[in-house]
Amino acid sequence: ESKALIIPTGYSPNADGTNDAFVIEGLLEYSNVSLEIFNRWGNRVYVSSDYKNDWNGSGGNGEILADDIYYFILKLDDGTAFNGYVALKRKAS
């Protein structure tokens, strides 16, 4: 029986100790989960073939990504795929 995943629609990787990573509840029940993150122009800015709830708003080569809406594709080892968006916002408005 697979556990339901709860995928957040936003997070704030500003090192304040709260909501600093893209944490998908229930994810650690699975192994070999892949996560791809794309910017609004469709460029892939982050990829992990074994995602462990550790994306902190940096791109694949460590650059700090701008506050914006990003799109994700999450694939489980059983072939199930999820896609959607996540708002990355470091600063309070």
Side-chain angles (χ1 to χ4, degrees):
E1 177 184 342
S2 63
K3 188 169 189 286
L5 297 179
I6 301 171
I7 303 173
T9 55
Y11 76 116
S12 58
N14 56 10
D16 67 354
T18 303
N19 213 15
D20 284 330
F22 184 53
V23 174
I24 299 164
E25 286 184 49
L27 184 76
L28 300 181
E29 302 286 317
Y30 299 90
S31 56
N32 301 315
V33 174
S34 75
L35 176 69
E36 292 181 278
I37 303 289
F38 300 88
N39 66 16
R40 65 172 65 229
W41 298 281
N43 301 313
R44 190 169 72 183
V45 295
Y46 177 88
V47 62
S48 174
S49 58
D50 189 18
Y51 187 62
K52 299 291 189 203
N53 282 338
D54 51 3
W55 181 43
N56 64 359
S58 296
N61 55 10
E63 79 278 18
I64 301 296
L65 296 173
D67 285 14
D68 205 346
I69 301 291
Y70 293 86
Y71 300 89
F72 67 82
I73 300 173
L74 180 76
K75 291 182 184 155
L76 304 181
D77 53 3
D78 66 1
T80 307
F82 301 88
N83 56 49
Y85 70 90
V86 58
L88 191 159
K89 189 171 184 192
R90 289 183 180 81
K91 296 189 223 31
S93 41

